[in-house]
Amino acid sequence: MAVTMFVRSLLMLVLLIVENAGTVVSPVVTFNPDLNKIFTGESLQMTCDVDSTEQGDVTYYWFKNDYWIHSEKTFTISSAQTSDSGNYQCQTSTSDRSDATKLEVHSGYVILQTPPNVYEGDNLSLRCHHYPGHPAKQTIFYKNNAVIKGWGSEDELYIENVDMTSSCKYKCTKQVNHHLLYYQHSDETSVSVQELFSLPTISLSPQIVVEGDHVTLTCNTRRSPRRQTTALQFAFYREGQNIGEFSSANEHEVPYTKLNDSGDYKCEVLTSDYRIKKTSTTVTMQVKRIGARELFNQSETEVTSKPGTSHVITAVAVTSLVLVLFLIVTALIFLYRTQQFPLSGINHLSSKAEAVVPDDETENIYTDLDMNSIRWQNISQNPPKQSGNDLVTENHFIVC
């Protein structure tokens, strides 16, 4: 029997995988009454809730502890047995399988009942329920073994607007009559409060903002799959100042950014009943001026932010420098050759360049200079004789 059920469930699973390739939608299992525990003999109805956008004929599949058990939208346990305890899931022909929802069926005298799924902001109800047909008296409730409600005739405890700190172990003790006497019976359960929606994050588009850009601020959060219909409100802040009232839109538009739009931005998400409010971390928007320098710096920043491009930028800079130097040298040569750049240094170099090339006229100049030098030495060695006031020179020439 067990082998047959396993093979049957395996075939159904293969069929569903083929049919649902690429789908991402998950249905949700709900209980009516919304309780995680019931007594044997009691009834409970389960419903496979799916996205309302699904149309046409939808086939449903129910699973208990991963075994296929049913093929309709609802599954009813009319007279529960302890064997009905387990994890229940459902799936459709166009969806993924739902998360598991746990049901416990007991045959004792007292059970502490809570909803199978509790979310922040919910009003939590804990019911210390005794077995039908047995009289009962007073009840006491505990939280982490500390009394939170003393002995009384009420068998239910209400906790409004629960949050994550409400996640703990709860216990109740009740006086139940059986065998002609009243006995105290206890039961406990662990409550795990889940997030109604995730902590929001804020993002900019585009991330690098230049004066005049159209910028979109987006406040991102994710609702719990079981609470997709929860209505949320969004608001945006700049430097702690509100820049938009709460609304259902999770985006804020800045049509034409200015320099004074720079600053730290954050967003808040609030439930429509004002019970849960969460604030994002901040994101900084730095608006840059319009201009060639800013745009170049922006481009350079974007390029250098990518690994392996710094060497390319260096090579481009060096190549540009060499090209500029080459153009300068070419211009100087051109000016020199056209004699439009009269520098003394260049004329001096020109004189030296002409002096290097010997010709007859140059040799004659050097000869005259040598003769002049010899004559000057003769004058120095044989000073002229003086006769009266006349100066007599010997053996020298005056070169004009």
Side-chain angles (χ1 to χ4, degrees):
M1 179 67 178
V3 175
T4 303
M5 288 293 296
F6 176 76
V7 173
R8 188 177 180 183
S9 299
L10 184 60
L11 291 174
M12 290 295 300
L13 180 61
V14 172
L15 177 61
L16 289 173
I17 291 175
V18 172
E19 291 179 350
N20 297 317
T23 60
V24 294
V25 179
S26 296
V28 174
V29 174
T30 59
F31 289 172
N32 185 23
D34 192 23
L35 301 170
N36 64 337
K37 296 178 183 180
I38 59 175
F39 280 118
T40 54
E42 293 184 323
S43 62
L44 181 141
Q45 185 181 69
M46 305 179 189
T47 303
C48 187
D49 292 328
V50 295
D51 192 344
S52 58
T53 58
E54 291 198 30
Q55 299 178 355
D57 294 334
V58 179
T59 305
Y60 295 87
Y61 306 93
W62 283 91
F63 300 86
K64 174 194 169 189
N65 298 332
D66 291 329
Y67 288 94
W68 175 78
I69 57 171
H70 193 62
S71 296
E72 294 180 4
K73 183 174 183 177
T74 60
F75 174 63
T76 302
I77 299 175
S78 56
S79 180
Q81 303 298 318
T82 55
S83 59
D84 290 321
S85 298
N87 293 311
Y88 289 84
Q89 295 172 280
C90 71
Q91 186 173 357
T92 72
S93 54
T94 58
S95 75
D96 287 340
R97 190 181 298 191
S98 71
D99 292 333
T101 302
K102 186 177 182 180
L103 174 67
E104 297 180 20
V105 181
H106 294 265
S107 59
Y109 286 96
V110 168
I111 55 175
L112 180 57
Q113 297 174 314
T114 66
N117 297 286
V118 181
Y119 290 87
E120 52 186 353
D122 286 353
N123 291 331
L124 176 61
S125 174
L126 300 105
R127 182 190 183 197
C128 195
H129 182 41
H130 63 280
Y131 201 88
H134 292 267
K137 288 187 176 181
Q138 295 188 326
T139 304
I140 187 172
F141 289 89
Y142 304 85
K143 178 181 179 181
N144 290 338
N145 296 322
V147 176
I148 55 175
K149 184 178 180 182
W151 289 103
S153 58
E154 296 180 354
D155 60 1
E156 290 191 47
L157 173 67
Y158 294 96
I159 303 176
E160 294 185 354
N161 195 16
V162 297
D163 55 24
M164 294 303 181
T165 62
S166 303
S167 298
C168 56
K169 184 178 291 185
Y170 293 88
K171 176 183 174 181
C172 76
T173 301
K174 195 169 192 175
Q175 298 171 341
V176 181
N177 183 282
H178 57 94
H179 303 298
L180 305 178
L181 296 174
Y182 282 90
Y183 297 90
Q184 292 186 5
H185 296 278
S186 301
D187 188 34
E188 63 182 23
T189 187
S190 294
V191 174
S192 178
V193 179
Q194 304 176 56
E195 277 192 333
L196 184 61
F197 57 91
S198 62
L199 188 69
T201 59
I202 186 170
S203 60
L204 291 174
S205 179
Q207 294 183 351
I208 299 176
V209 183
V210 177
E211 197 175 11
D213 279 351
H214 183 118
V215 175
T216 302
L217 296 161
T218 305
C219 193
N220 303 290
T221 188
R222 181 180 55 83
R223 297 174 177 84
S224 168
R226 296 180 183 273
R227 300 292 180 89
Q228 287 294 322
T229 58
T230 301
L232 298 178
Q233 301 288 312
F234 302 85
F236 293 83
Y237 299 83
R238 175 186 169 274
E239 299 294 342
Q241 300 297 317
N242 184 273
I243 57 174
E245 298 299 328
F246 277 98
S247 71
S248 58
N250 72 327
E251 292 184 348
H252 176 77
E253 304 287 341
V254 183
Y256 189 91
T257 55
K258 301 179 291 294
L259 294 178
N260 58 8
D261 288 323
S262 298
D264 292 334
Y265 289 79
K266 64 181 180 180
C267 67
E268 281 187 342
V269 183
L270 179 70
T271 55
S272 57
D273 57 8
Y274 301 97
R275 289 191 171 193
I276 304 297
K277 181 171 69 175
K278 297 183 181 182
T279 304
S280 72
T281 55
T282 60
V283 63
T284 301
M285 180 168 72
Q286 184 63 48
V287 182
K288 299 180 180 293
R289 288 184 181 276
I290 298 178
R293 182 182 298 274
E294 285 75 17
L295 293 177
F296 174 79
N297 291 338
Q298 175 183 328
S299 300
E300 183 180 19
T301 301
E302 293 176 350
V303 172
T304 54
S305 65
K306 300 178 181 179
T309 59
S310 59
H311 296 294
V312 175
I313 295 174
T314 302
V316 171
V318 171
T319 304
S320 300
L321 180 59
V322 171
L323 180 60
V324 170
L325 291 176
F326 174 78
L327 292 175
I328 292 173
V329 172
T330 303
L332 290 175
I333 294 174
F334 176 79
L335 290 174
Y336 165 70
R337 289 188 174 181
T338 57
Q339 296 183 356
Q340 296 179 7
F341 195 73
L343 294 177
S344 59
I346 295 179
N347 291 335
H348 182 65
L349 291 175
S350 175
S351 300
K352 286 188 176 182
E354 292 175 359
V356 172
V357 183
D359 54 17
D360 295 340
E361 183 179 354
T362 304
E363 288 179 359
N364 292 334
I365 293 172
Y366 280 100
T367 303
D368 290 341
L369 291 174
D370 291 341
M371 292 297 295
N372 227 10
S373 176
I374 294 171
R375 290 165 185 167
W376 179 254
Q377 290 177 1
N378 290 336
I379 294 173
S380 300
Q381 292 174 0
N382 302 300
K385 297 178 182 180
Q386 295 182 354
S387 174
N389 293 329
D390 297 330
L391 179 62
V392 178
T393 59
E394 293 182 359
N395 202 26
H396 71 277
F397 300 91
I398 295 176
V399 179
C400 298

